[in-house]
Amino acid sequence: MDAQVKFSLRDAPHEMIERAVKVRAENVNVFYGAKQALKDVNVGIPERGVMAFIGPSGCGKTTFLRCINRMNDTIAIAKVTGRIVIDGENINDRKVDVVELRSRIGMVFQKPNPFPKSIFENVAYGPRIHGLATSKSALEEIVVSSLKRAGLFDEVKERLHDAGTGLSGGQQQRLCIARAIAVEPEIILMDEPCSALDPIATARIEELMEELAKIYTIVIVTHSMQQAARVSQRTAFFHLGNLVEDGPTDVIFNNPKDKRTQDYITGRFG
Amino acid sequence: MTQHTVASFDADLQTLAGMIGEMGKRAVHSLADATKALLERNVQLAQQVIAADRNIDDLQHLIEEKAVATIAKRQPMAIDLREIISTIRIANDLERVGDLAKNVAKRVIAIGDQPSPVNVASGLGTLSTRVGEQLSAVLGAYRNRDDEGALDVWRADGAIDVLFTSLFRELLTYMMEDPRSIGFCTHLLFCAKNLERVGDHATNIAETAHYVVTGDTLSAERPKADESSAMRSPQS
């Protein structure tokens, strides 16, 4: 853990909460072929908290999120330069085992994407392939506790062996969160996790994020600025591949320093 | 400021700004009329001031409703949110200014045509003019998003307090000299206090204007020079 650099999650001194840096990006550039998607991004993400990335479509926020678990490796024309340091280790280093890395970093996508398996199997899959459970009962325990932490257990306990795809959208998304936390990750990346959900399902996910942030480092990309303002303690604004400004969420939404941030959050350009 | 992508949002903000402008104009007017009624002992004008306060109150309600509706509809952020919050705050201050002017007018009616045992007209006139200038200046600074202008008003409130304190001493002396003047002088003292309070509301508006422009609240203690609350009668 990089304990030297501390974050203040709130601007007001009486609410000062300090957190160490969990993830640090240093001069990160991403190219898709000739097109540069991210330009020299430097930012720190605090542990045990929610950090939101906002910005117009195509600004690079999802690209940046995908740098954190090296998902850009899966795109043939993508090239990443710079360092992403997690707990002091550069994950772009050749020695890093990507499978092991991704087991430490869960990801939740815009559209819920449960496996075409039962609810139980969706959650059990990760722990099983990573060998986290030594017995059947231990595996069951992991599944139940993950579903409970994702706030889904009470709704599905009677039908754990029904198909995960038969759940409602909001339930499917919580199932995906249960699946992500079943492998005990340290970081959870969320790429617009509520954009396909109704307001009530959205509220449940937000409530869940608050709960999960006590244990995990959560990074969320969202188009809803109100959501970013509600759930995050720190916010970063991306525009045209540049990280324009990052800081305590209160400051970014009440009194941003950069005019581009101000224009974006007040709806002055699309 | 560049326009919003949604043009009707700009229209909402302009409507609110227009309403504050109108309310400010009416409050300044009421204050001047109430003082005029007091100095000229014009009961009819005083009654007009009392009647006109109703319109100021109505405007405050309209501004509040419009501001709440705009927040609900647009979910404003940053400068937009500050602007809307500022209209609610300023409407509140202006409504109080209207009430204070009305209170002066009521006292004009209460003292009726009693002959004045004292002469503090010039002091009250100066105080009122000074307060009216502060109020107009701060409303202008708010309209033009002029932080320096607002801070000037904020700093100048001390001078009003000094004027009030000296009126307080003067009236106290008259009352001690001739106890028969106590009823009349008490009314005048309240009038002076009301005018001084208007100055405080101008200071509040200055703080709001500063908040709109900078996003910061003025943390320093505001300049105070009203010593009347700590004053003893000269004999004790």
Side-chain angles (χ1 to χ4, degrees), chain A residues 20-57:
Chain A
V21 182
K22 180 73 181 175
V23 182
R24 199 174 61 236
E26 295 171 357
N27 306 319
V28 172
N29 289 279
V30 177
F31 301 84
Y32 293 124
K35 186 184 175 296
Q36 186 166 7
L38 277 184
K39 298 166 192 166
D40 251 335
V41 172
N42 287 284
V43 68
I45 298 171
E47 65 165 352
R48 284 181 292 117
V50 180
M51 179 152 187
F53 290 112
I54 59 169
S57 295

Side-chain angles (χ1 to χ4, degrees), chain A residues 155-174:
Chain A
E155 290 160 57
V156 301
K157 61 186 173 193
E158 307 296 337
R159 45 174 171 150
L160 285 179
H161 298 286
D162 291 3
T165 46
L167 297 171
S168 74
Q171 288 172 329
Q172 287 188 21
Q173 196 63 308
R174 275 178 285 146

Side-chain angles (χ1 to χ4, degrees), chain B:
Chain B
M1 182 69 62
T2 27
Q3 302 228 309
H4 285 95
T5 310
V6 183
S8 52
F9 190 0
D10 289 316
D12 286 345
L13 292 175
Q14 272 158 18
T15 305
L16 273 168
M19 286 161 103
I20 288 287
E22 176 63 27
M23 201 179 167
K25 227 184 323 179
R26 286 177 191 233
V28 170
H29 201 72
S30 268
L31 182 71
D33 278 355
T35 312
K36 189 165 181 243
L38 176 66
L39 299 180
E40 294 174 2
R41 311 289 294 280
N42 183 340
V43 171
Q44 206 191 345
L45 183 57
Q47 276 159 344
Q48 282 172 21
V49 171
I50 293 168
D53 186 52
R54 188 62 187 275
N55 299 329
I56 296 181
D57 291 354
D58 288 347
L59 262 170
Q60 189 212 1
H61 291 307
L62 287 173
I63 288 169
E64 221 173 77
E65 274 172 28
K66 177 82 184 163
V68 168
T70 308
I71 291 172
K73 253 195 312 193
R74 314 285 180 196
Q75 282 133 42
M77 292 276 191
I79 178 78
D80 296 334
L81 182 58
R82 298 206 296 274
E83 279 197 20
I84 295 171
I85 295 298
S86 77
T87 62
I88 298 176
R89 295 221 292 228
I90 291 175
N92 232 333
D93 281 311
L94 291 174
E95 189 271 335
R96 294 296 304 144
V97 170
D99 282 354
L100 292 164
K102 183 169 82 172
N103 189 273
V104 170
K106 278 182 175 169
R107 290 175 193 280
V108 173
I109 295 168
I111 53 181
D113 51 8
Q114 286 176 48
S116 173
V118 298
N119 185 10
V120 289
S122 78
L124 275 171
T126 312
L127 179 61
S128 171
T129 309
R130 210 41 217 272
V131 167
E133 283 166 3
Q134 284 273 87
L135 192 59
S136 300
V138 81
L139 289 167
Y142 171 73
R143 192 174 49 241
N144 301 324
R145 301 289 179 265
D146 168 13
D147 186 36
E148 253 331 292
L151 287 173
D152 285 344
V153 170
W154 192 75
R155 291 188 203 103
D157 188 56
I160 289 175
D161 292 342
V162 169
L163 278 175
F164 170 70
T165 307
S166 97
L167 265 173
F168 182 91
R169 280 178 208 276
E170 203 175 334
L171 286 163
L172 198 63
T173 312
Y174 283 128
M175 288 191 265
M176 287 167 58
E177 276 171 4
D178 180 4
R180 283 172 303 173
S181 73
I182 286 176
F184 195 95
C185 286
T186 304
H187 278 303
L188 291 186
L189 192 54
F190 272 111
C191 288
K193 184 66 194 167
N194 287 339
L195 294 174
E196 186 271 331
R197 290 290 300 149
V198 172
D200 290 344
H201 288 291
T203 316
N204 284 347
I205 297 173
E207 289 174 4
T208 302
H210 177 77
Y211 168 71
V212 170
V213 177
T214 64
D216 297 324
T217 39
L218 274 170
S219 51
E221 187 71 15
R222 80 158 65 158
K224 276 264 169 237
D226 171 10
E227 294 160 7
S228 64
S229 52
M231 202 180 294
R232 298 187 200 159
S233 65
Q235 283 155 327
S236 57

